[in-house]
Coordinates of all heavy atoms in Angstrom, one line a residue:
Chain A
L277 N -87.3 41.9 100.7 CA -86.9 41.2 101.9 C -88.1 40.3 102.4 O -87.8 39.1 102.8 CB -86.5 42.1 103.0 CG -85.1 42.7 102.9 CD1 -84.8 43.7 103.9 CD2 -84.0 41.7 102.8
P278 N -89.3 40.7 102.4 CA -90.4 39.8 102.8 C -90.4 38.5 101.9 O -90.6 37.4 102.4 CB -91.7 40.6 102.6 CG -91.3 42.0 102.6 CD -89.9 42.0 102.1
A279 N -90.1 38.7 100.6 CA -90.1 37.6 99.7 C -89.0 36.6 100.1 O -89.2 35.4 100.1 CB -89.8 38.1 98.2
M280 N -87.8 37.2 100.4 CA -86.7 36.3 100.9 C -87.1 35.6 102.2 O -86.8 34.4 102.4 CB -85.5 37.2 101.2 CG -84.9 37.7 99.9 SD -83.5 38.9 100.3 CE -82.6 38.9 98.8
G281 N -87.9 36.3 103.0 CA -88.4 35.6 104.3 C -89.3 34.4 103.9 O -89.1 33.4 104.5
I282 N -90.2 34.6 103.0 CA -91.1 33.6 102.6 C -90.4 32.4 102.1 O -90.6 31.2 102.5 CB -92.2 34.1 101.6 CG1 -93.1 35.1 102.2 CG2 -93.0 33.0 101.0 CD1 -94.0 35.9 101.2
V283 N -89.4 32.7 101.2 CA -88.7 31.6 100.6 C -87.8 30.8 101.7 O -87.7 29.6 101.6 CB -87.8 32.1 99.5 CG1 -86.8 31.1 99.0 CG2 -88.7 32.5 98.3
S284 N -87.3 31.6 102.6 CA -86.6 31.0 103.7 C -87.4 30.1 104.6 O -86.9 29.4 105.5 CB -85.8 32.1 104.5 OG -85.0 32.8 103.7
E285 N -88.8 30.3 104.6 CA -89.7 29.4 105.3 C -90.0 28.1 104.5 O -90.1 27.0 105.0 CB -91.0 30.1 105.7 CG -90.8 31.3 106.6 CD -90.3 30.9 107.9 OE1 -90.6 29.8 108.4 OE2 -89.6 31.7 108.5
I286 N -90.2 28.4 103.2 CA -90.7 27.3 102.3 C -89.6 26.3 102.0 O -89.8 25.0 102.1 CB -91.3 27.9 101.0 CG1 -92.5 28.6 101.3 CG2 -91.5 26.8 100.0 CD1 -93.1 29.4 100.1
L287 N -88.4 26.7 101.7 CA -87.3 25.8 101.4 C -87.0 24.8 102.5 O -87.0 23.6 102.2 CB -86.0 26.5 101.0 CG -86.2 27.3 99.7 CD1 -84.9 28.1 99.4 CD2 -86.4 26.4 98.5
P288 N -86.9 25.2 103.8 CA -86.6 24.2 104.8 C -87.8 23.2 105.0 O -87.6 22.0 105.1 CB -86.5 25.1 106.1 CG -86.1 26.4 105.6 CD -86.8 26.6 104.3
T289 N -89.0 23.8 104.9 CA -90.2 22.9 105.1 C -90.2 21.8 104.0 O -90.3 20.6 104.4 CB -91.5 23.7 104.9 OG1 -91.6 24.6 106.0 CG2 -92.7 22.7 105.0
F290 N -89.9 22.1 102.8 CA -90.0 21.1 101.7 C -88.7 20.4 101.5 O -88.7 19.4 100.7 CB -90.6 21.7 100.4 CG -92.0 22.2 100.6 CD1 -92.3 23.5 100.9 CD2 -93.0 21.3 100.4 CE1 -93.6 23.9 101.0 CE2 -94.3 21.7 100.6 CZ -94.6 23.0 100.9
S291 N -87.6 20.8 102.1 CA -86.4 20.0 102.1 C -86.3 19.2 103.4 O -85.5 18.3 103.5 CB -85.2 21.0 102.1 OG -85.2 21.9 101.1
R292 N -87.3 19.4 104.3 CA -87.3 18.6 105.5 C -86.1 18.7 106.4 O -85.7 17.8 107.0 CB -87.7 17.2 105.3 CG -89.1 17.0 104.6 CD -89.4 15.6 104.2 NE -89.4 14.6 105.2 CZ -90.4 14.5 106.1 NH1 -91.4 15.3 106.1 NH2 -90.3 13.6 107.0
K293 N -85.4 19.9 106.3 CA -84.3 20.1 107.2 C -84.2 21.6 107.4 O -84.7 22.4 106.7 CB -83.0 19.6 106.6 CG -82.5 20.2 105.3 CD -81.4 19.4 104.6 CE -80.0 19.8 105.1 NZ -79.5 21.0 104.5
P294 N -83.5 22.0 108.5 CA -83.4 23.4 108.9 C -82.7 24.3 107.8 O -82.0 23.8 107.0 CB -82.6 23.5 110.2 CG -82.5 22.1 110.6 CD -82.6 21.2 109.4
L295 N -83.0 25.6 107.9 CA -82.3 26.5 107.0 C -80.8 26.5 107.2 O -80.4 26.4 108.4 CB -82.8 28.0 107.3 CG -82.3 29.0 106.3 CD1 -83.0 28.8 105.0 CD2 -82.7 30.4 106.9
F296 N -80.1 26.4 106.1 CA -78.6 26.4 106.2 C -78.1 27.7 106.6 O -78.5 28.7 106.0 CB -78.1 26.0 104.8 CG -76.6 25.7 104.7 CD1 -76.1 24.5 105.0 CD2 -75.7 26.8 104.4 CE1 -74.8 24.2 104.9 CE2 -74.4 26.5 104.3 CZ -73.9 25.3 104.5
G297 N -77.3 27.8 107.7 CA -76.7 29.0 108.1 C -77.6 30.1 108.5 O -77.5 31.3 108.1
Y298 N -78.6 29.7 109.4 CA -79.6 30.7 109.9 C -79.0 32.0 110.3 O -79.4 33.1 109.9 CB -80.4 30.1 111.0 CG -81.3 31.0 111.8 CD1 -82.6 31.2 111.4 CD2 -80.8 31.7 112.9 CE1 -83.5 32.0 112.1 CE2 -81.6 32.6 113.6 CZ -82.9 32.7 113.2 OH -83.8 33.6 113.9
P299 N -77.9 32.0 111.2 CA -77.4 33.4 111.6 C -76.9 34.2 110.5 O -77.1 35.4 110.5 CB -76.3 33.0 112.6 CG -76.4 31.6 112.8 CD -77.1 30.9 111.7
I300 N -76.3 33.6 109.5 CA -75.8 34.4 108.3 C -76.9 34.9 107.5 O -76.8 36.0 106.9 CB -74.7 33.5 107.6 CG1 -73.6 33.2 108.5 CG2 -74.3 34.2 106.3 CD1 -72.3 33.0 107.9
V301 N -78.0 34.1 107.3 CA -79.1 34.6 106.5 C -79.7 35.8 107.2 O -80.0 36.8 106.6 CB -80.1 33.4 106.4 CG1 -81.4 34.0 105.7 CG2 -79.6 32.3 105.5
V302 N -79.9 35.7 108.5 CA -80.4 36.8 109.3 C -79.5 38.0 109.2 O -79.9 39.2 108.9 CB -80.7 36.4 110.7 CG1 -81.0 37.7 111.6 CG2 -81.8 35.4 110.8
F303 N -78.2 37.8 109.4 CA -77.3 38.9 109.4 C -77.2 39.5 108.0 O -77.1 40.8 107.9 CB -75.9 38.4 109.9 CG -74.9 39.5 109.9 CD1 -75.0 40.4 111.0 CD2 -73.9 39.6 109.0 CE1 -74.0 41.5 111.0 CE2 -73.0 40.6 109.1 CZ -73.0 41.6 110.1
S304 N -77.2 38.7 107.0 CA -77.1 39.3 105.6 C -78.4 40.1 105.3 O -78.3 41.1 104.7 CB -76.9 38.2 104.6 OG -77.9 37.3 104.6
G305 N -79.5 39.6 105.8 CA -80.8 40.4 105.7 C -80.6 41.8 106.3 O -80.9 42.8 105.7
A306 N -80.0 41.8 107.5 CA -79.8 43.1 108.2 C -78.8 43.9 107.5 O -79.0 45.2 107.4 CB -79.4 42.8 109.7
S307 N -77.7 43.3 107.0 CA -76.7 44.2 106.2 C -77.3 44.7 104.9 O -77.0 45.8 104.6 CB -75.4 43.4 105.9 OG -75.5 42.1 106.2
I308 N -78.2 43.9 104.3 CA -78.9 44.5 103.1 C -79.6 45.7 103.5 O -79.6 46.7 102.9 CB -79.8 43.4 102.4 CG1 -78.9 42.3 101.8 CG2 -80.7 44.1 101.4 CD1 -79.7 41.2 101.2
G309 N -80.3 45.6 104.7 CA -81.1 46.7 105.2 C -80.2 48.0 105.4 O -80.6 49.1 105.0
F310 N -79.1 47.8 106.0 CA -78.2 48.9 106.3 C -77.6 49.5 105.0 O -77.7 50.7 104.7 CB -77.0 48.5 107.2 CG -77.4 48.5 108.6 CD1 -77.5 47.4 109.4 CD2 -77.5 49.8 109.3 CE1 -77.9 47.4 110.7 CE2 -77.8 49.8 110.6 CZ -78.0 48.6 111.4
L311 N -77.0 48.6 104.2 CA -76.4 49.0 102.9 C -77.4 49.7 102.0 O -77.1 50.5 101.2 CB -75.7 47.9 102.2 CG -74.4 47.4 102.8 CD1 -73.9 46.1 102.2 CD2 -73.3 48.5 102.6
G312 N -78.7 49.2 102.1 CA -79.8 49.8 101.3 C -79.9 51.3 101.4 O -80.4 51.9 100.5
F313 N -79.4 51.8 102.5 CA -79.5 53.3 102.7 C -78.3 54.0 102.1 O -78.2 55.2 102.2 CB -79.7 53.6 104.2 CG -81.1 53.5 104.6 CD1 -81.5 52.3 105.3 CD2 -82.0 54.4 104.4 CE1 -82.8 52.1 105.7 CE2 -83.4 54.3 104.8 CZ -83.7 53.1 105.5
A314 N -77.3 53.2 101.6 CA -76.1 53.9 101.2 C -75.8 53.8 99.7 O -74.7 54.0 99.2 CB -74.9 53.2 102.0
V315 N -76.9 53.4 99.0 CA -76.7 53.2 97.5 C -77.7 54.0 96.7 O -77.7 53.7 95.5 CB -76.8 51.7 97.2 CG1 -75.7 50.9 97.9 CG2 -78.1 51.1 97.6
W316 N -78.4 54.9 97.3 CA -79.5 55.5 96.5 C -79.0 56.2 95.2 O -79.7 56.1 94.2 CB -80.3 56.5 97.4 CG -79.6 57.8 97.6 CD1 -79.8 58.9 96.7 CD2 -78.8 58.2 98.6 NE1 -79.1 59.9 97.2 CE2 -78.4 59.6 98.3 CE3 -78.2 57.6 99.7 CZ2 -77.5 60.3 99.2 CZ3 -77.4 58.3 100.5 CH2 -77.0 59.6 100.2
S317 N -77.8 56.7 95.2 CA -77.4 57.5 94.1 C -77.1 56.7 92.9 O -76.8 57.2 91.8 CB -76.3 58.5 94.4 OG -76.8 59.6 95.0
H318 N -77.1 55.3 93.0 CA -76.9 54.5 91.8 C -78.1 54.6 90.9 O -78.0 54.2 89.7 CB -76.5 53.1 92.1 CG -77.6 52.2 92.7 ND1 -77.3 51.2 93.5 CD2 -78.9 52.2 92.5 CE1 -78.4 50.6 93.9 NE2 -79.4 51.2 93.2
H319 N -79.2 55.2 91.3 CA -80.3 55.5 90.4 C -80.0 56.8 89.7 O -80.8 57.3 88.8 CB -81.6 55.7 91.2 CG -82.0 54.4 91.8 ND1 -82.8 53.5 91.2 CD2 -81.7 53.9 93.0 CE1 -83.0 52.4 92.0 NE2 -82.3 52.7 93.1
M320 N -78.9 57.5 90.0 CA -78.6 58.8 89.5 C -77.2 58.9 88.9 O -76.6 60.0 88.9 CB -78.7 59.9 90.7 CG -80.1 59.9 91.3 SD -80.1 60.7 92.9 CE -79.6 62.3 92.4
F321 N -76.7 57.8 88.4 CA -75.3 57.8 87.8 C -75.2 58.7 86.6 O -74.2 59.2 86.3 CB -74.9 56.4 87.4 CG -74.4 55.5 88.5 CD1 -74.6 54.1 88.4 CD2 -73.7 56.1 89.6 CE1 -74.1 53.3 89.4 CE2 -73.2 55.2 90.6 CZ -73.4 53.9 90.5
T322 N -76.4 59.0 86.0 CA -76.3 59.9 84.8 C -76.6 61.3 85.1 O -76.7 62.1 84.2 CB -77.3 59.4 83.7 OG1 -78.6 59.5 84.3 CG2 -77.0 58.0 83.3
T323 N -76.7 61.7 86.4 CA -77.1 63.1 86.7 C -75.8 64.0 86.8 O -75.9 65.1 87.2 CB -77.9 63.2 88.0 OG1 -77.1 62.6 89.1 CG2 -79.2 62.5 87.9
G324 N -74.6 63.4 86.5 CA -73.4 64.2 86.6 C -73.0 64.5 88.0 O -72.8 65.7 88.4
M325 N -72.9 63.4 88.8 CA -72.5 63.6 90.2 C -71.0 63.9 90.4 O -70.6 64.2 91.5 CB -72.9 62.4 91.0 CG -74.3 62.2 91.2 SD -74.6 60.8 92.3 CE -73.9 59.5 91.5
G326 N -70.2 63.6 89.3 CA -68.8 63.7 89.5 C -68.2 62.4 89.7 O -68.9 61.4 90.1
T327 N -66.9 62.3 89.6 CA -66.2 61.0 89.6 C -66.2 60.3 91.0 O -66.5 59.1 91.1 CB -64.7 61.2 89.1 OG1 -64.2 62.3 89.8 CG2 -64.7 61.4 87.7
V328 N -65.9 61.1 92.0 CA -65.7 60.5 93.4 C -67.1 59.9 93.9 O -67.2 58.8 94.3 CB -65.1 61.5 94.4 CG1 -65.1 60.9 95.7 CG2 -63.8 61.9 93.9
A329 N -68.1 60.8 93.8 CA -69.4 60.3 94.2 C -69.9 59.1 93.4 O -70.4 58.1 94.0 CB -70.5 61.4 94.1
T330 N -69.7 59.1 92.1 CA -70.1 58.0 91.3 C -69.3 56.8 91.7 O -69.9 55.7 91.9 CB -69.8 58.3 89.8 OG1 -70.5 59.5 89.5 CG2 -70.3 57.2 88.9
A331 N -68.0 56.9 91.9 CA -67.2 55.7 92.3 C -67.7 55.2 93.6 O -67.8 54.0 93.8 CB -65.7 56.1 92.4
A332 N -68.0 56.1 94.6 CA -68.4 55.6 95.9 C -69.7 54.8 95.9 O -69.8 53.7 96.4 CB -68.5 56.8 96.9
F333 N -70.6 55.4 95.1 CA -71.9 54.7 95.1 C -71.8 53.4 94.2 O -72.5 52.4 94.5 CB -73.0 55.6 94.5 CG -73.5 56.5 95.6 CD1 -73.1 57.9 95.6 CD2 -74.4 56.1 96.6 CE1 -73.6 58.7 96.6 CE2 -74.8 56.9 97.6 CZ -74.5 58.3 97.6
A334 N -70.9 53.4 93.2 CA -70.7 52.1 92.5 C -70.2 51.0 93.4 O -70.6 49.9 93.4 CB -69.7 52.4 91.3
L335 N -69.2 51.4 94.2 CA -68.6 50.4 95.1 C -69.6 49.9 96.2 O -69.7 48.7 96.5 CB -67.3 50.9 95.7 CG -66.2 51.2 94.8 CD1 -64.9 51.8 95.5 CD2 -65.8 50.0 93.9
A336 N -70.3 50.9 96.7 CA -71.3 50.5 97.8 C -72.3 49.5 97.2 O -72.8 48.6 97.8 CB -72.0 51.7 98.3
T337 N -72.7 49.8 95.9 CA -73.7 49.0 95.2 C -73.2 47.6 95.0 O -73.9 46.6 95.2 CB -74.2 49.6 93.9 OG1 -74.6 50.9 94.2 CG2 -75.3 48.8 93.3
M338 N -71.9 47.5 94.6 CA -71.3 46.2 94.5 C -71.3 45.4 95.8 O -71.5 44.2 95.8 CB -69.9 46.3 93.9 CG -69.8 46.7 92.5 SD -68.1 47.0 91.9 CE -68.4 47.8 90.4
A339 N -71.0 46.2 96.9 CA -70.9 45.5 98.2 C -72.2 44.9 98.6 O -72.2 43.8 99.2 CB -70.5 46.6 99.2
I340 N -73.3 45.4 98.1 CA -74.6 44.9 98.5 C -74.9 43.5 97.9 O -75.7 42.8 98.3 CB -75.7 45.9 98.2 CG1 -76.8 45.9 99.3 CG2 -76.4 45.7 96.9 CD1 -77.7 47.0 99.3
A341 N -74.1 43.3 96.8 CA -74.3 42.0 96.1 C -73.8 40.8 97.0 O -74.2 39.7 96.9 CB -73.5 42.0 94.8
V342 N -72.9 41.1 98.0 CA -72.3 40.1 98.8 C -73.4 39.4 99.7 O -73.6 38.2 99.7 CB -71.1 40.5 99.6 CG1 -70.6 39.5 100.5 CG2 -70.0 41.0 98.6
P343 N -74.0 40.3 100.6 CA -75.1 39.7 101.4 C -76.2 39.0 100.6 O -76.8 38.1 101.1 CB -75.6 40.8 102.3 CG -75.1 42.1 101.7 CD -73.9 41.7 100.9
T344 N -76.5 39.6 99.4 CA -77.5 39.0 98.6 C -77.1 37.6 98.1 O -77.9 36.7 98.1 CB -77.8 40.0 97.4 OG1 -78.0 41.3 97.9 CG2 -79.1 39.6 96.8
G345 N -75.8 37.6 97.6 CA -75.3 36.3 97.2 C -75.3 35.3 98.3 O -75.6 34.1 98.1

Side-chain angles (χ1 to χ4, degrees):
Chain A
L277 287 177
M280 292 173 160
I282 292 170
V283 167
S284 301
E285 298 295 329
I286 291 174
L287 292 176
T289 297
F290 294 96
S291 306
R292 297 172 61 74
K293 64 193 270 285
L295 187 69
F296 187 87
Y298 169 95
I300 297 208
V301 172
V302 169
F303 183 71
S304 59
S307 9
I308 290 174
F310 276 107
L311 284 172
F313 280 98
V315 297
W316 79 88
S317 279
H318 69 212
H319 297 269
M320 300 166 60
F321 278 151
T322 62
T323 58
M325 290 188 296
T327 46
V328 176
T330 303
F333 281 104
L335 295 181
T337 306
M338 288 175 192
I340 216 166
V342 176
T344 314

